[in-house]
Amino acid sequence: MKALVIYESMYGNTEKVARAIADGLRDGYEVTVADVATMPRAFGVDLLVAGGPTHAFGMTRPSTREQARQQGEVRPGAVDAGLREWLVCAPTLGGVAAAAFDTKVDKPFLPGSAGRRAQRQLRRLGCRIVRPAQSFLVTGTAGPLAPDEEQRARHWGAELAATALQLHKV
């Protein structure tokens, strides 16, 4: 069984979450982790996990990525393309098991979720959503991750693997 975890990350926090999720998936899947900027192909995967940072209540856009660049040093290539652009270019993924996640600032009652928006787009591409979108928290715009979020992401990945594998057997 093969899984692809694709992520968009401005400051490196979402990448840490993606890699922790991948670690959790490894008991049941051969996992590839890819930066969305490389425009990875999702062909031949049994499980697709996609995530990115929440900007302006949803997935990033060119303008919000540029604003992030102006707020601090971002990863090379992070401004060029994001999860939104990858999902627009993605082929129909009929029946592929999928889940989405995001990172967002740890502020009570802060609305919006890139993960929920990505999940809707994955569903439109024909994916079977196996778990609701999950948000992982950062302490500020540039991070770092809130305490224990990497461990929580690893645990979520393991739960995701178990759920997807169980659904695959049905």
Side-chain angles (χ1 to χ4, degrees), residues 113-157:
S113 166
R116 285 196 305 267
R117 300 267 172 110
Q119 179 178 287
R120 275 184 261 166
Q121 189 64 25
L122 288 166
R123 189 174 285 123
R124 285 186 191 114
L125 290 170
C127 293
R128 291 179 305 125
I129 304 302
V130 295
R131 290 195 59 101
Q134 182 67 49
S135 292
F136 297 93
L137 304 175
V138 294
T139 60
T141 301
L145 287 171
D148 300 322
E149 288 300 89
E150 281 185 80
Q151 179 180 356
R152 195 165 72 83
R154 200 170 292 109
H155 186 275
W156 186 75

Side-chain angles (χ1 to χ4, degrees), residues 7-162:
Y7 66 89
E8 171 188 357
S9 188
M10 301 301 294
Y11 303 106
N13 299 299
T14 311
E15 178 182 9
K16 287 178 184 175
V17 169
R19 293 191 182 285
I21 291 168
D23 287 345
L25 293 171
R26 285 200 168 89
D27 280 343
Y29 289 89
E30 176 186 326
V31 183
T32 301
V33 180
D35 187 326
V36 73
T38 66
M39 289 297 183
R41 297 172 58 111
F43 296 115
V45 299
D46 303 292
L47 174 63
L48 173 63
V49 183
T54 299
H55 284 196
F57 313 113
M59 288 187 285
T60 68
R61 297 181 303 282
S63 62
T64 64
R65 291 191 297 270
E66 181 57 32
Q67 288 172 351
R69 187 189 63 75
Q70 292 172 7
Q71 291 179 16
E73 188 173 334
V74 298
R75 298 171 60 248
V79 177
D80 299 333
L83 185 58
R84 178 187 302 264
E85 289 80 8
W86 186 87
L87 288 166
V88 166
C89 295
T92 301
L93 299 167
V96 172
F101 70 95
D102 63 42
T103 53
K104 61 190 295 183
V105 176
D106 186 9
K107 288 189 180 176
F109 310 112
L110 187 65
S113 166
R116 285 196 305 267
R117 300 267 172 110
Q119 179 178 287
R120 275 184 261 166
Q121 189 64 25
L122 288 166
R123 189 174 285 123
R124 285 186 191 114
L125 290 170
C127 293
R128 291 179 305 125
I129 304 302
V130 295
R131 290 195 59 101
Q134 182 67 49
S135 292
F136 297 93
L137 304 175
V138 294
T139 60
T141 301
L145 287 171
D148 300 322
E149 288 300 89
E150 281 185 80
Q151 179 180 356
R152 195 165 72 83
R154 200 170 292 109
H155 186 275
W156 186 75
E159 289 177 346
L160 178 59

